[in-house]
Amino acid sequence: KDIPRDKRDIVNDLIALKIVSDSKIIKLKSKYRIGKIDTTKKGFGFLIPLGVKEKDYLIEKHHLNGATKGDLVVAERLFNKGRPKAKVIYILEKAFSVSVVYLSFEYKNNKKIPILKNIKTNLQTFVKEKKKTLKKLPEGAVFKVDNYTNKIIDVLGVLDDAWIDEKISLALYNKQEEFSKKAINEARAYGDYVDKDFYPSRVDLTDFSFCTIDPPTAKDHDDAIYFDKEKNELYVAIADVSEYVYLNGNIDKEAKKRGFSIYFPHKSIPMLPRELSENICSLKENEDRLAFVFKIKLNEKNEVIKEELFEAVINSKRKYSYERVDEFLDGRFENTDEIDKEILSWLLPLWDKVKHIRNKRLKTGLDFSSDEIKMKLNDDGLIQSVEIEEETPSHKLIEDCMLLANKAAAKMIDFGIFRVHEKPSANSLDELYENLMALGINVDINKDFVEVVRDIQLQAKMLGIEKEVDKLIIRSQKQARYEAKNLGHFALGFDRYTHFTSPIRRYSDLTLHRLLKSILKKEKKQMEYILRNIEALVVKISELEREAMKVEWDFYDRKYARFAKEHINEVFEGIIEDTQIPPIAKIIEDKLLGARVFLKDKKKYNLFERVNIKIISADIATAKIKGKVVMRSEEVTS
């Protein structure tokens, strides 16, 4: 009963193959090892065992049995003299269930020979397809391949078309934009408006002047806020997605598989069908919407003294962009109407309180300068502009309101789904301090780590490398993840923390909403059902989060590569981000702002050294840019 349903077939296979014992406690037999595969260019591989402290096992090419780099496998130990060897018996899970390949041609003795290459590694790959068929296709044709069968399952397009980039980035991690007809029909069944008379048990907050604050292009509004300045009560209203997405329904199955919405510069790939994410679930302006609301009462010292969670109906009176709210917070009130004035009557006092709350929070938590890339594309799918998106007061206002709600939600559970972040390891801190000393930054390790970071950031600011050093500190930290047990959040300085505020775009938050509702309504069976496989779920959600980020990064890399391809031999200013050989630099100007360049230099550079980089090559398929460091006088325009 402890084995998740989607893994039962695997366990049955292992029993049938006599790899594990068939008894109450299922155990792996001693002659087998479970591990991950690493492969070499020569074709043979290694098994890196999991769960036992042993050396790697050599796996001959003919013993890989279809396993490739990163696959999780069961291997049988081969008893022989010399180096320990093994052979793959069963593939538990492919590192990637699909791969993306592209078509190129070689000519030998005037014969046209089609070759398929993996788009990530640029290595030749085997696909079950007739050469005669491939010869008829254009060079640069791109395919999605099933790694279990080695068969083409989709033709994505051709590399020359810039709009193929999103298809490649999604296919690399087996993501898809389209939803099943069942999921779409299920979403459409809810209609596009809410009649609050159907929800008499919900608290009616439709007269309150809630507002949403998001990027100007946002269509999915997860959260809205309102502040009752007379009672000193903050309302954080979150889209009540769990009212529409029921557990194990058609929408839920797809949302669970996706885990997160993915955001490209020109569009989003939502976790939920747009009929929900951009319609009935989205807290639209002047539309009644169902919400899950935290009412957070503050005292005169801006401390939280009471938190109350309930289901409600709200009506957001205004959809603001971050830029518009920044104007308000900066004292610019041009073109305001009566609704704006009503909202400003509570928004400005709230901002004063949030500043105090934030300052107090940062005494025990870390704060890093954000330098997220904001890319715009033109009508041809190529880079139009790239700029750094600065964190502004409006971002800070919303962030700290959401943090209050997330903290409040975490207090309500002892076991379930927490957002955790552990202390950095001693080794990673030693490496950090070594790098900082090389930069001329003194570190007093006898202080509390938060104080140490503040000292580092102050010195970095004086040296003009504040953002670069912030990235270095972040790199030394452990990665935040989801856990069923509370382990605290080191970076934020919180004893308990979770994600409550984005159920439209994060499956973690949707799961938490269901759990909190079962607690509020005292539905013990429902709570037990949600928690049954929660340990496996939090691991999967953490993996999906990393995949969603990789999809976005891959897309940006592809756009940069296309721009660089058109600017071979041109010189751009960059900064050294990785000093290993070969070094990696980041471009800090023009339309390549934020692009990584792999330098063809064997010279040792200093971390954050500013250099001029000539673009030597750019590969559209692998999305890699190569360059070399030059003096400006060496620039040769193409």
Side-chain angles (χ1 to χ4, degrees):
K1 71 178 183 182
D2 294 327
I3 299 165
R5 286 183 182 179
D6 61 336
K7 298 289 187 286
R8 286 177 191 173
D9 285 347
I10 292 174
V11 175
N12 288 333
D13 284 351
L14 297 178
I15 291 169
L17 292 167
K18 297 183 179 179
I19 291 169
V20 295
S21 59
D22 186 7
S23 56
K24 281 187 178 180
I25 297 172
I26 297 170
K27 286 184 177 180
L28 188 71
K29 292 184 178 178
S30 61
K31 67 176 180 177
Y32 298 104
R33 290 290 181 267
I34 290 173
K36 292 212 168 181
I37 294 290
D38 193 10
T39 53
T40 68
K41 287 183 179 179
K42 291 181 178 178
F44 60 86
F46 296 95
L47 177 81
I48 303 160
L50 298 177
V52 289
K53 289 184 178 179
E54 291 181 338
K55 288 184 177 179
D56 299 348
Y57 287 83
L58 175 68
I59 302 179
E60 302 286 0
K61 191 175 181 179
H62 60 281
H63 281 151
L64 280 168
N65 293 327
T68 53
K69 187 180 176 74
D71 291 354
L72 183 68
V73 304
V74 177
E76 182 183 348
R77 292 191 293 164
L78 300 175
F79 297 96
N80 60 296
K81 290 180 181 179
R83 174 155 195 163
K85 292 184 179 181
K87 66 175 179 180
V88 174
I89 300 297
Y90 187 88
I91 297 173
L92 290 162
E93 190 173 60
K94 296 290 287 183
F96 296 96
S97 58
V98 299
S99 57
V100 180
V101 302
Y102 71 98
L103 178 65
S104 64
F105 293 108
E106 278 187 6
Y107 292 88
K108 286 183 180 178
N109 302 322
N110 292 324
K111 283 187 177 181
K112 186 179 179 183
I113 302 168
I115 292 171
L116 290 167
K117 291 184 178 180
N118 186 299
I119 214 160
K120 286 189 88 172
T121 63
N122 220 23
L123 296 173
Q124 192 170 337
T125 187
F126 169 71
V127 174
K128 286 181 182 176
E129 190 58 70
K130 292 177 181 177
K131 286 184 179 180
K132 196 181 284 186
T133 305
L134 293 172
K135 281 181 182 178
K136 295 176 183 176
L137 296 170
E139 188 158 14
V142 182
F143 313 101
K144 186 175 175 181
V145 175
D146 185 326
N147 285 342
Y148 288 96
T149 63
N150 292 321
K151 289 182 179 178
I152 292 171
I153 52 175
D154 198 3
V155 179
L156 301 179
V158 290
L159 283 174
D160 287 343
D161 179 9
W163 291 114
I164 198 178
D165 291 340
E166 68 189 63
K167 293 180 181 179
I168 292 172
S169 299
L170 290 168
L172 281 171
Y173 296 93
N174 205 17
K175 309 291 181 187
Q176 59 186 54
E177 182 174 1
E178 298 78 17
F179 286 84
S180 68
K181 283 185 179 179
K182 285 182 179 179
I184 291 171
N185 289 337
E186 196 175 288
R188 284 176 178 163
Y190 292 111
D192 54 11
Y193 73 95
V194 169
D195 186 341
K196 66 181 181 181
D197 292 337
F198 288 159
Y199 304 94
S201 62
R202 286 180 175 256
V203 180
D204 187 350
L205 301 178
T206 53
D207 289 337
F208 288 29
S209 54
F210 278 91
C211 71
T212 59
I213 305 172
D214 289 294
T217 55
K219 294 178 182 177
D220 51 348
H221 304 286
D222 276 293
D223 54 86
I225 57 170
Y226 169 73
F227 182 60
D228 186 332
K229 61 184 180 186
E230 306 300 328
K231 295 180 180 178
N232 218 11
E233 293 172 339
L234 169 67
Y235 290 78
V236 179
I238 306 301
D240 197 352
V241 176
S242 63
E243 184 72 22
Y244 301 100
V245 183
Y246 57 90
L247 197 57
N248 293 328
N250 293 307
I251 300 171
D252 184 58
K253 284 175 184 173
E254 293 206 33
K256 191 176 181 179
K257 188 179 175 185
R258 292 167 186 245
F260 294 82
S261 293
I262 294 167
Y263 294 92
F264 294 138
H266 62 299
K267 70 190 292 189
S268 67
I269 309 297
M271 181 182 80
L272 304 173
R274 296 185 196 276
E275 288 80 359
L276 291 184
S277 63
E278 296 177 8
N279 190 24
I280 196 75
C281 285
S282 183
L283 304 180
K284 286 185 168 185
E285 186 177 271
N286 295 322
E287 297 274 0
D288 286 357
R289 287 291 183 263
L290 303 185
F292 209 15
V293 180
F294 261 113
K295 182 167 73 171
I296 301 166
K297 191 170 181 64
L298 306 170
N299 64 14
E300 294 303 313
K301 295 179 181 178
N302 302 310
E303 298 167 329
V304 175
I305 55 173
K306 188 181 179 183
E307 294 149 333
E308 185 185 349
L309 178 63
F310 53 87
E311 295 175 327
V313 183
I314 73 157
N315 186 302
S316 174
K317 299 297 186 279
R318 199 54 108 225
K319 178 181 81 170
Y320 287 127
S321 67
Y322 285 118
E323 290 81 1
R324 181 63 165 153
V325 173
D326 281 325
E327 289 176 7
F328 294 152
L329 300 183
D330 194 36
R332 290 175 282 149
F333 307 112
E334 294 86 1
N335 302 316
T336 52
D337 58 18
E338 291 306 310
I339 292 173
D340 292 324
K341 288 171 185 174
E342 163 64 20
I343 292 172
L344 286 169
S345 72
W346 61 257
L347 189 68
L348 298 177
L350 174 63
W351 173 230
D352 287 336
K353 290 186 173 294
V354 165
K355 282 187 281 187
H356 287 102
I357 291 167
R358 186 178 179 87
N359 288 337
K360 188 176 180 181
R361 172 174 70 80
L362 293 177
K363 286 178 181 177
T364 56
L366 304 176
D367 187 30
F368 299 108
S369 53
S370 171
D371 64 345
E372 280 190 37
I373 293 293
K374 189 177 180 181
M375 183 185 283
K376 285 185 180 176
L377 304 180
N378 62 22
D379 292 340
D380 296 319
L382 301 170
I383 294 176
Q384 180 177 306
S385 65
V386 184
E387 58 188 41
I388 300 289
E389 188 168 30
E390 300 287 344
E391 188 180 47
T392 65
S394 61
H395 291 84
K396 293 172 183 176
L397 168 67
I398 283 297
E399 180 188 15
D400 272 87
C401 287
M402 297 306 116
L403 288 177
L404 288 173
N406 287 337
K407 281 178 73 180
K411 290 177 189 176
M412 294 181 66
I413 57 171
D414 295 316
F415 181 75
I417 185 160
F418 291 93
R419 182 66 167 177
V420 306
H421 181 248
E422 295 171 282
K423 289 182 180 180
S425 68
N427 286 344
S428 64
L429 286 181
D430 287 344
E431 189 181 335
L432 169 67
Y433 297 153
E434 198 176 303
N435 284 326
L436 291 170
M437 285 173 68
L439 293 168
I441 293 174
N442 298 314
V443 181
D444 182 358
I445 59 172
N446 295 315
K447 290 184 179 180
D448 175 75
F449 186 69
V450 174
E451 287 184 60
V452 171
V453 169
R454 283 212 191 85
D455 286 349
I456 292 167
Q457 289 174 322
L458 190 63
Q459 293 178 65
K461 193 172 185 179
M462 292 168 69
L463 292 168
I465 52 173
E466 188 180 9
K467 285 181 179 177
E468 289 80 7
V469 167
D470 271 2
K471 274 194 172 181
L472 208 58
I473 299 168
I474 291 167
R475 209 185 297 166
S476 74
Q477 305 291 301
K478 288 188 177 178
Q479 195 164 23
R481 66 182 191 279
Y482 295 100
E483 273 286 347
K485 293 177 182 176
N486 175 41
L487 299 173
H489 200 293
F490 175 72
L492 290 172
F494 295 162
D495 293 332
R496 305 171 76 85
Y497 188 64
T498 189
H499 276 168
F500 170 79
T501 55
S502 296
I504 288 178
R505 60 185 181 90
R506 293 191 301 228
Y507 195 78
S508 53
D509 304 45
L510 174 54
T511 301
L512 179 68
H513 279 218
R514 289 171 176 154
L515 184 57
L516 292 176
K517 283 190 178 184
S518 70
I519 292 169
L520 287 177
K521 295 174 182 178
K522 295 182 171 60
E523 295 173 342
K524 193 178 177 184
K525 283 188 177 180
Q526 176 73 355
M527 183 172 69
E528 287 174 352
Y529 185 72
I530 293 166
L531 295 175
R532 175 172 279 183
N533 290 313
I534 197 73
E535 291 99 332
L537 180 64
V538 293
V539 170
K540 187 63 181 173
I541 292 173
S542 296
E543 288 173 1
L544 290 170
E545 179 184 32
R546 289 190 286 274
E547 283 181 8
M549 289 167 64
K550 286 175 182 176
V551 170
E552 292 171 14
W553 294 339
D554 182 81
F555 180 83
Y556 277 76
D557 285 344
R558 293 189 180 283
K559 292 305 172 193
Y560 286 133
R562 287 189 186 278
F563 182 84
K565 186 86 172 174
E566 299 301 314
H567 294 80
I568 301 295
N569 289 332
E570 291 187 28
V571 177
F572 297 85
E573 190 177 354
I575 189 166
I576 300 295
E577 279 212 326
D578 193 329
T579 58
Q580 299 297 315
I581 302 294
I584 300 172
K586 186 179 79 173
I587 303 292
I588 55 174
E589 65 167 339
D590 201 34
K591 292 179 183 179
L592 280 180
L593 174 67
R596 291 184 312 155
V597 180
F598 296 83
L599 299 177
K600 296 188 84 173
D601 290 85
K602 290 183 179 177
K603 182 186 166 186
K604 190 78 175 170
Y605 292 96
N606 295 321
L607 193 62
F608 305 142
E609 183 180 342
R610 291 194 173 230
V611 289
N612 295 319
I613 302 161
K614 182 194 282 188
I615 304 298
I616 294 172
S617 66
D619 193 320
I620 301 292
T622 59
K624 282 193 175 175
I625 305 169
K626 291 182 180 176
K628 72 173 184 176
V629 175
V630 296
M631 300 293 289
R632 272 285 177 185
S633 57
E634 291 180 51
E635 179 174 352
V636 180
T637 54
S638 56

